[in-house]
Structures are given as C-alpha cells and as structure tokens.
C-alpha cells in the first residue's frame, strides 16, 4: 500500500510538472511574439490562468490570459505600463507550441494604460508629483470630489512643489481626469487642504489661476493596447489608469502598441 501511494504521488508530481512546464513554455512563446511584434524594451509578463493547463491547450480554449508590459515609451509621457486581459481566448495548440501564433480571437478584451506619478510629474514638469484620490465624504455635500456634489471616478488630488509667486511651495489641488477624444485632459479646479494634501497655507486669489494652470494639461493620443479606444480614466494606487474594452474581437500580437 505504501509503495502504491508513493507511486501515485510520483505520477501526480510528474503530471503537475508537465502541466506547469507546458504552461510556462506557452507563456514564453506568447511573450516573445509580443515583444518582437510590438518592439518592446523587454519581454512582457504573460500569465495563462486556469488549471489544468493541458486540458485548455488540448481544446485550444483559454479562460483568461493576462498581459503586462512595463516601461513602454510613448510620444507624450516618457514611459507607461500597458496591460490587457483576454477572456475566452481561442488559440490552436500547434500555433501556441511552435510560436507561430499571431492573430488571436476572444470573447472580451480589457485594456489599460497606467501612468505612474513620477512619469506624470515629468510630463507636468513637477518632479515630486503625488497622485491620490480624495475621501468619499459626503457629509459636507462635496462627495469627496472637489465640491462637485458627487464622487466621480475621475476626481484626484495632485500634490507637488511649484512656483507660487517668487517662491517654490508644496501645493495640493483637486483635479478632474476627463477623456478628450483619444487623450486625457487633467483639469485642476481648486486648491485642496484635505488629509491627502500637503499645503498648509493660503495662496492669494490672484495667484490661484497660475498655480492651477501648472497642474492642467492634456495627454494626447493615449491609445490602449491592440488599438482599443479608452472609455474611462481614474486614479488608483498613485497612478493614472486609462482603460477600455471590446467584445468579440480578434487581435494581432504584432500590434500591442498600435499606431
């Protein structure tokens, strides 16, 4: 009985190793195809979810695939992180294993671009920029969105050191993130003195427009992976996130960075 149990455990271990090994190899093949086709600076992270993998591979059907590429340069922001979630994906087993996969049909594609506060700060010329979301406190009627009366996904607090008249000072402002065509407009609306802010003084009214203008700018042409158009923008974890989705699409792995 003991030998039988040991034998079964050994067979199970071999099966698991084969499953994980095949999954890792397939993820590598997709990653290399994405890097070469998209002219990326490094191999993107590819994760094929679902267990067992071999069952999915045999059917050529995968429930969810995650793609993440970091330090992707753009024309406007120095670098971004791009992500894509592919759901109910169809890839023939032979194409995946030999690396010839190029076009991939799927039921749903969710795509995102993430811009870190550091890179956004370079774009705004505010090197120490911080991004946070205001509290959703409706007790004062502001809704935590800079006096708009409701909490909005696009409401953020931006904090950084900027010129205030003749001196440089830490300033916090409320701003709205607004989709503007295929770009995103950052529109600073007022000074902010809440718990996320760092400013501890009152800026004279005649200087407020100039200060708010330093936090206001448009990020042009933020096209999402595989040419998906953006549908929402919000702040999350100190980042600006631009995302969109599409149903029943076929993507080309060479176009993760569509022109």
């Amino acid at each position: 009985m003991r030998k039988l149990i040991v034998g079964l455990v050994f067979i199970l271990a071999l099966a698991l190793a084969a499953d994980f090994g095949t999954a890792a190899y397939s993820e590598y093949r997709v990653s290399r195809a994405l890097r070469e086709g998209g002219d990326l600076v490094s191999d993107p992270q590819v994760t094929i979810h679902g267990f067992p993998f071999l069952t999915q591979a045999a059917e050529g059907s995968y429930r969810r695939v995650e793609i993440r590429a970091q330090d992707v340069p753009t024309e406007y922001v120095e670098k971004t992180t791009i992500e894509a979630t592919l759901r109910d994906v169809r890839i023939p087993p032979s194409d995946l294993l030999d690396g010839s996969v190029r076009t991939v049909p799927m039921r749903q594609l969710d795509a995102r671009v993430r811009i870190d506060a550091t890179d956004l700060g370079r774009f705004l010329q505010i090197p120490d920029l911080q991004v946070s979301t205001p509290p959703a406190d409706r007790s004062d009627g502001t809704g935590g969105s800079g006096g708009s009366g409701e909490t909005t996904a696009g409401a953020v607090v931006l904090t950084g050191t900027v010129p205030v008249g003749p001196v440089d000072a830490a300033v916090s402002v409320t701003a709205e993130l607004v989709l503007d065509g295929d770009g995103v407009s950052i529109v600073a609306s007022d000074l902010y003195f809440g718990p996320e802010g760092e400013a501890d003084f009152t800026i004279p009214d005649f200087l407020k427009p100039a200060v708010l203008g330093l936090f206001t700018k448009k990020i042009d042409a933020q096209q999402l992976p595989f040419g998906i158009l953006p549908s929402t923008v919000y702040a999350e974890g100190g980042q600006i996130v631009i995302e969109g989705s599409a149903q029943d699409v076929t993507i080309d792995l060479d176009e993760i960075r569509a022109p």
Side-chain angles (χ1 to χ4, degrees):
M1 180 62 69
R2 181 178 299 175
K3 290 181 179 180
L4 176 61
I5 293 174
V6 171
L8 290 175
V9 170
F10 181 71
I11 293 173
L12 179 60
L14 287 178
L16 289 173
D19 193 85
F20 287 122
T22 307
Y25 177 77
S26 300
E27 291 167 348
Y28 167 76
R29 299 301 305 185
V30 174
S31 177
R32 292 299 299 176
L34 288 166
R35 179 176 182 176
E36 294 169 2
D39 193 25
L40 302 175
V41 297
S42 61
D43 290 351
Q45 178 182 341
V46 176
T47 304
I48 302 175
H49 294 274
F51 179 83
F53 171 81
L54 290 174
T55 301
Q56 296 183 92
E59 298 174 350
S61 178
Y62 306 86
R63 291 186 287 277
R64 181 163 59 96
V65 179
E66 299 277 355
I67 299 170
R68 190 171 193 264
Q70 296 178 286
D71 298 331
V72 179
T74 71
E75 184 177 352
Y76 301 96
V77 180
E78 183 173 333
K79 59 184 179 179
T80 62
T81 296
I82 59 176
E83 300 174 342
T85 302
L86 290 57
R87 304 181 188 277
D88 295 335
V89 180
R90 302 290 299 182
I91 305 176
S94 58
D95 289 355
L96 186 61
L97 293 177
D98 66 15
S100 63
V101 57
R102 281 296 178 268
T103 58
V104 180
M106 68 201 66
R107 178 181 59 82
Q108 181 173 329
L109 170 61
D110 301 317
R112 291 169 295 280
V113 169
R114 295 181 179 271
I115 305 173
D116 286 330
T118 300
D119 296 301
L120 183 63
R122 292 193 187 102
F123 177 70
L124 294 174
Q125 297 183 346
I126 305 174
D128 62 345
L129 185 75
Q130 299 177 48
V131 178
S132 58
T133 53
D137 180 6
R138 296 176 182 272
S139 61
D140 61 356
T142 67
S145 57
S148 66
E150 60 181 1
T151 300
T152 61
V156 296
V157 172
L158 303 178
T159 299
T161 302
V162 297
V164 181
V167 300
D168 290 343
V171 175
S172 293
V173 303
T174 54
E176 296 293 326
L177 305 173
V178 182
L179 286 177
D180 188 356
D182 59 357
V184 173
S185 289
I186 304 171
V187 184
S189 55
D190 203 354
L191 301 177
Y192 182 78
F193 299 97
E196 297 80 16
E198 292 186 358
D200 56 0
F201 62 92
T202 301
I203 296 175
D205 287 343
F206 72 92
L207 289 178
K208 284 176 60 175
V211 171
L212 295 177
L214 297 173
F215 292 89
T216 299
K217 199 169 184 179
K218 182 179 179 181
I219 308 173
D220 289 324
Q222 285 300 298
Q223 197 170 46
L224 303 181
F226 305 111
I228 300 301
L229 294 177
S231 59
T232 187
V233 56
Y234 55 92
E236 180 182 73
Q239 299 175 323
I240 300 299
V241 184
I242 309 162
E243 68 179 21
S245 62
Q247 306 287 329
D248 300 318
V249 295
T250 297
I251 63 171
D252 189 327
L253 296 184
D254 291 341
E255 297 179 354
I256 187 171
R257 295 176 60 195

